[in-house]
Amino acid sequence: MSGDLADGIRGTIEAIYRQESRRVFATLVRLLGDFDIAEEALHDAFRAALEQWPRDGVPANPRAWLVSTGRFKAIDGMRRRSRFEALPDEVAEQLADDLADPSGLDGEAVEDDRLRLIFTCCHPALSPDAQVALTLREVCGLTTEEIARAFLTAAPTLAQRIVRAKAKIRDARIPYQVPAREDLPVRLDAVLRVVYLVFNEGYSASFGNALMRHDLSTEAIRLGRLLIELLPDPEVLGLLALMLLHESRRSARSSPEGELILLDEQDRTLWNRDQIAEGLSLVSRALASRYVGPYALQAAIAAVHAEAPSANATDWAQITGLYEVLLRAEPSPVVELNRAVAVAMRDGPAAGLALVDAIVVEGVLADYHLAHAARADLCRRLGRTAEARAAYQRALSLVKQDAERRFLERRLRELPD
């Protein structure tokens, strides 16, 4: 095989890894019954692909080939380590059955594996923090460092949390399945929180060169659709609506050079109208319920932005009111900050700055770069240049994302001396 063709196949393998690795992993967890063994099998399968595909060509069904190969290598490894005989007979029979036949590995069961895995990771036997961390790591493939940043937690602490969660699942024999319908409502909150965190990491990456990670936000939306098929709860509708309405702005959020463009400066003709229409329809369905939860309220706020023909025409009074309802439903310093920004747009920067200062003084958001960036912007608009400069510098000392850093540096340079 020529070098160019081999390079092309390696590029194909890399693309398949990005797109399919977590689906393959979820199926391997179902087949092998162990997170760590499945993770090792996943990497063994891709190593085999790097060795064989350049020689033999890409198989017709890459995902099924990877699942079958990973399962075979895992079982072979267990046999070599003399651990296979220690497995229960029924498990051994299941693992050894049809090793070389991938025909049953890419149907509806495989498509549902990630949903099964989410509910396993979000089992009530695990603490809420462990549920989220484990799902982000095992279902979505985020690194420990990425999850730690999302949690504002040290990476070693986060890693230990994940290890303990896996041990709990193994020792408690937590089943790998979607819960019965009557059990779904009590299990849903953690799942929705996880899906939203995944979307947020994709929509606005916590660190690195890329402002957005389309693979993660697309996966979160896909998981949201699966959840609606399973349980069309108003909060599930609200979460999918929220993700679609945010995702609709993707093309307008950055310049061709990758620079961040704020909402009020975006070219709204670039917004995805199909996603907006679907999001607005879902918001209407969610708000028709007697119970309106936090995701539906956030989706309603996003809907007001989506319906505004321009930034100046945005109904900031309605947005402020929705934030006040959201604060009662789910009190949070970040929601308080967002409400303060909305008040600044409705009543002027001085009113907003007073609220932001009160939040910053409390100290909960002392290390949250967006709180300092919001304060800097309000000071800039009020002509309080020295305070604006100090706030921008504080935000810069905390930001991890390159596009956001460049934006803050640009704003800092634009301040008058």
Side-chain angles (χ1 to χ4, degrees), residues 119 181 183-186 188 224-237:
F119 277 101
R181 180 165 292 275
D183 297 326
L184 274 174
V186 296
L188 195 59
R225 295 190 191 282
L226 280 176
L227 286 172
I228 282 181
E229 292 178 12
L230 189 67
L231 183 69
D233 181 271
E235 277 292 80
V236 182
L237 297 172

Side-chain angles (χ1 to χ4, degrees), residues 8 12 17 28 40 56 58 120 125 137 162 166 198 205 244 256 276 287 299 303 306 310 319 385 399-400 415:
T12 298
Y17 184 86
L28 287 170
E40 183 178 354
D56 303 334
V58 178
T120 301
R137 177 69 192 93
I162 292 173
K166 289 180 182 179
V198 173
L244 287 169
I276 289 174
L287 295 181
S310 67
I319 288 176
T385 305
V399 70
K400 303 295 184 184
L415 288 176

Side-chain angles (χ1 to χ4, degrees), residues 233-250:
D233 181 271
E235 277 292 80
V236 182
L237 297 172
L239 176 58
L240 181 57
L242 176 61
M243 294 190 294
L244 287 169
L245 291 169
H246 282 317
E247 185 72 4
S248 71
R249 308 175 199 155
R250 172 179 293 276

Side-chain angles (χ1 to χ4, degrees), residues 217-281:
S217 55
T218 298
E219 180 61 24
I221 289 171
R222 190 190 76 85
L223 292 173
R225 295 190 191 282
L226 280 176
L227 286 172
I228 282 181
E229 292 178 12
L230 189 67
L231 183 69
D233 181 271
E235 277 292 80
V236 182
L237 297 172
L239 176 58
L240 181 57
L242 176 61
M243 294 190 294
L244 287 169
L245 291 169
H246 282 317
E247 185 72 4
S248 71
R249 308 175 199 155
R250 172 179 293 276
S251 297
R253 290 190 65 233
S254 63
S255 70
E257 297 76 28
E259 300 304 317
L260 174 65
I261 302 175
L262 296 186
L263 179 62
D264 59 349
E265 299 172 348
Q266 290 175 12
D267 179 358
R268 299 188 178 214
T269 64
L270 297 177
W271 289 4
N272 187 314
R273 293 296 154 184
D274 290 338
Q275 289 178 326
I276 289 174
E278 184 181 1
L280 294 177
S281 174

Side-chain angles (χ1 to χ4, degrees), residues 21-351:
S21 62
R22 301 326 291 178
R23 291 186 181 92
V24 172
F25 172 76
T27 300
L28 287 170
V29 172
R30 170 167 61 86
L31 296 173
L32 300 170
D34 184 278
F35 283 91
D36 294 331
I37 294 174
E39 189 74 39
E40 183 178 354
L42 172 71
H43 294 301
D44 284 343
F46 274 96
R47 277 193 291 269
L50 286 169
E51 294 172 1
Q52 297 180 36
W53 292 7
R55 182 187 67 236
D56 303 334
V58 178
N61 191 330
R63 186 197 302 175
W65 188 97
L66 290 162
V67 170
S68 182
T69 300
R71 182 172 65 164
F72 179 87
K73 287 185 174 295
I75 295 170
D76 190 50
M78 283 187 271
R79 285 173 171 154
R80 286 197 309 271
R81 292 190 295 266
S82 301
R83 292 195 291 139
F84 187 76
E85 296 300 328
L87 293 173
D89 290 342
E90 65 273 13
V91 176
E93 290 174 5
Q94 177 187 354
L95 293 178
D97 186 43
D98 294 328
L99 278 176
D101 180 12
S103 59
L105 300 178
D106 198 44
E108 183 178 349
V110 172
E111 192 60 27
D112 289 342
D113 278 336
R114 302 194 78 185
L115 196 57
R116 292 187 184 95
L117 185 55
I118 288 177
F119 277 101
T120 301
C121 293
C122 296
H123 194 277
L126 305 176
S127 70
D129 285 348
Q131 292 171 1
V132 176
L134 187 62
T135 307
L136 289 174
R137 177 69 192 93
E138 304 301 341
V139 179
C140 301
L142 273 68
T143 67
T144 302
E145 290 74 18
E146 288 171 324
I147 305 168
R149 287 187 178 90
F151 276 115
L152 301 178
T153 304
T157 302
L158 202 288
Q160 284 300 311
R161 188 177 297 164
I162 292 173
V163 169
R164 287 194 296 269
K166 289 180 182 179
K168 179 79 171 182
I169 289 173
R170 182 185 63 248
D171 296 343
R173 298 185 180 274
I174 290 174
Y176 180 74
Q177 63 187 30
V178 176
R181 180 165 292 275
E182 60 269 21
D183 297 326
L184 274 174
V186 296
R187 299 278 298 277
L188 195 59
D189 284 348
V191 173
L192 295 181
R193 183 170 64 251
V194 167
V195 173
Y196 191 38
L197 276 173
V198 173
F199 177 80
N200 279 341
E201 184 62 30
Y203 184 70
S204 183
S206 59
F207 75 102
N209 294 322
L211 177 63
M212 295 168 279
R213 295 180 58 182
H214 186 57
D215 56 333
L216 291 179
S217 55
T218 298
E219 180 61 24
I221 289 171
R222 190 190 76 85
L223 292 173
R225 295 190 191 282
L226 280 176
L227 286 172
I228 282 181
E229 292 178 12
L230 189 67
L231 183 69
D233 181 271
E235 277 292 80
V236 182
L237 297 172
L239 176 58
L240 181 57
L242 176 61
M243 294 190 294
L244 287 169
L245 291 169
H246 282 317
E247 185 72 4
S248 71
R249 308 175 199 155
R250 172 179 293 276
S251 297
R253 290 190 65 233
S254 63
S255 70
E257 297 76 28
E259 300 304 317
L260 174 65
I261 302 175
L262 296 186
L263 179 62
D264 59 349
E265 299 172 348
Q266 290 175 12
D267 179 358
R268 299 188 178 214
T269 64
L270 297 177
W271 289 4
N272 187 314
R273 293 296 154 184
D274 290 338
Q275 289 178 326
I276 289 174
E278 184 181 1
L280 294 177
S281 174
L282 288 166
V283 169
S284 297
R285 289 171 59 190
L287 295 181
S289 169
R290 289 183 297 175
Y291 168 74
V292 179
Y295 292 113
L297 288 168
Q298 291 177 75
I301 293 168
V304 177
H305 286 296
E307 292 177 315
S310 67
N312 291 334
T314 303
D315 188 345
W316 288 105
Q318 185 179 3
I319 288 176
T320 302
L322 286 168
Y323 271 123
E324 289 168 355
V325 177
L326 180 59
L327 266 175
R328 292 196 293 272
E330 189 173 71
S332 157
V334 173
V335 175
E336 287 186 40
L337 178 65
N338 292 336
R339 176 183 172 274
V341 172
V343 168
M345 299 302 294
R346 184 191 66 182
D347 300 336

